[in-house]
């Protein structure tokens, strides 16, 4: 509230938009990461159950937590069931690697962009491009914060686009305006 008192009254609406979009974007990002962890928990649990690996719940929980850690976690999330297979059932090592690898590939390349897009409200391609741009510009930290920053930029872009063009630009709104103009 202190910072909002510093904002000139003419920019109060923009400051509120920034507050809401940042809160929604970062909250959505955290929810998306949690969802990814839950999905990969299921992948690891199914792998452990299908192969009859011991410590299935523990390895699934660890894999899910690792997947929920932005940027670093997904690269090691496949390991817990594979390590258990290595030490307790070496004959299940290759199937564990294959199942966890295929699960990781599907989750990271198909599910992750869609979950993040629905969590923060931007298109999956924008999610992938923003992560690549963030990684290129600021390294690991840029990749971690790229999705929420892209969501905030997107919120501002569409807010000003709708404000400058006389309202929402979706098909139904345009059709309603045309119908109103005819009448």
């Amino acid at each position: 509230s202190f910072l909002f008192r510093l904002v000139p009254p003419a920019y109060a609406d923009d400051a509120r938009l920034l507050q809401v979009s940042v809160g929604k974007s970062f909250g959505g990002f955290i929810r998306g990461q949690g969802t990814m962890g839950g999905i990969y928990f299921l992948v690891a649990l199914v792998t452990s159950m299908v192969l009859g690996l011991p410590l299935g719940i523990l390895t699934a929980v660890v894999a899910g937590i690792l997947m929920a850690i932005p940027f670093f976690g997904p690269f090691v999330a496949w390991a817990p069931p594979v390590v258990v297979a290595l030490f307790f059932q070496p004959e299940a090592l290759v199937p564990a690697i294959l199942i966890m690898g295929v699960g990781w590939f599907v989750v990271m390349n198909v599910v992750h962009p869609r979950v993040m897009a629905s969590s923060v409200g931007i298109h999956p391609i924008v999610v992938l491009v923003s992560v690549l741009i963030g990684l290129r510009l600021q390294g690991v930290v840029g990749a971690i914060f790229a999705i929420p920053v892209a969501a905030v930029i997107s919120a501002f872009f569409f807010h000003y686009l709708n404000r400058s063009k006389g309202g929402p630009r979706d098909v139904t709104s345009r059709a309603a305006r045309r119908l109103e103009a005819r009448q």
Side-chain angles (χ1 to χ4, degrees), residues 34-102:
T35 303
M36 293 306 302
I39 291 170
Y40 208 66
F41 163 83
L42 294 174
V43 169
L45 185 63
V46 167
T47 300
S48 295
M49 289 173 48
V50 166
L51 298 176
L53 298 174
L55 307 170
I57 298 289
L58 178 64
T59 57
V61 167
V62 171
I65 290 171
L66 287 172
M67 182 59 84
I69 297 171
F71 199 71
F72 295 112
F75 293 108
V76 293
W78 58 269
V82 171
V83 170
V84 167
L86 176 67
F87 287 114
F88 293 103
Q89 288 183 335
E91 67 278 359
L93 179 63
V94 173
I97 291 171
L98 288 175
I99 294 170
M100 292 302 290
V102 168

Side-chain angles (χ1 to χ4, degrees), residues 4 28 41 53 58 95 101 116 143 158-159:
F4 280 115
F41 163 83
L53 298 174
L58 178 64
M116 282 300 161
F158 285 111
H159 173 74

